[in-house]
Amino acid sequence: QVQVVESGGGLVQAGGSLRLSCAASGSIVSINDMGWYRQAPGKQRELVAAITRGGSTNYADSVKGRFTISRDNAKNLMYLQMDSLKPEDTAVYYCKAEGLRTFLRPFASWGQGTQVTVSS
């Protein structure tokens, strides 16, 4: 089993910053792709940012220039630095990790989410 846990959400005023963390643990052999997703009330879950094991990144157009994704491969950690936050960034943010676990079986695990609320 692979567990993924997010932390760092909260309430912030527009223009402020938050840093989300994601920790993966369990029977992990390697983590390839990691990503942050978000889901606002009444909307579908969407990709916010993704990062490969080698450090290549991909961002949604709505967060480019404001959010920065990073990871620590040695510790199975991932981060999302969110700056210049806007009310429309309000959502539950989820971490996803994909890779190989014991006996080289593939896994794709989601965290339970962390709430980010941006007030105007």
Side-chain angles (χ1 to χ4, degrees), residues 33-99:
D33 298 329
M34 300 186 79
W36 288 99
Y37 294 73
R38 67 186 180 187
Q39 187 166 18
K43 295 187 176 182
Q44 289 188 331
R45 189 173 298 188
E46 63 175 0
L47 175 68
V48 176
I51 185 167
T52 67
R53 184 173 183 83
S56 296
T57 58
N58 180 42
Y59 294 92
D61 288 342
S62 59
V63 306
K64 282 181 181 177
R66 300 188 297 121
F67 290 11
T68 303
I69 189 171
S70 61
R71 65 188 282 180
D72 183 335
N73 291 332
K75 298 181 179 179
N76 292 333
L77 297 171
M78 178 178 64
Y79 307 97
L80 186 67
Q81 177 66 41
M82 304 186 294
D83 299 317
S84 302
L85 282 160
K86 304 176 181 180
E88 51 263 43
D89 294 318
T90 295
V92 177
Y93 284 69
Y94 298 91
C95 169
K96 182 181 181 183
E98 298 178 75

Side-chain angles (χ1 to χ4, degrees), residues 1-4 23-32 53 75-76 97-102 107:
Q1 294 282 1
V2 176
Q3 297 80 38
V4 176
S25 62
S27 54
I28 297 170
V29 172
S30 65
I31 300 177
N32 298 325
R53 184 173 183 83
K75 298 181 179 179
N76 292 333
E98 298 178 75
L100 296 176
R101 55 192 175 103
T102 311
F107 74 88

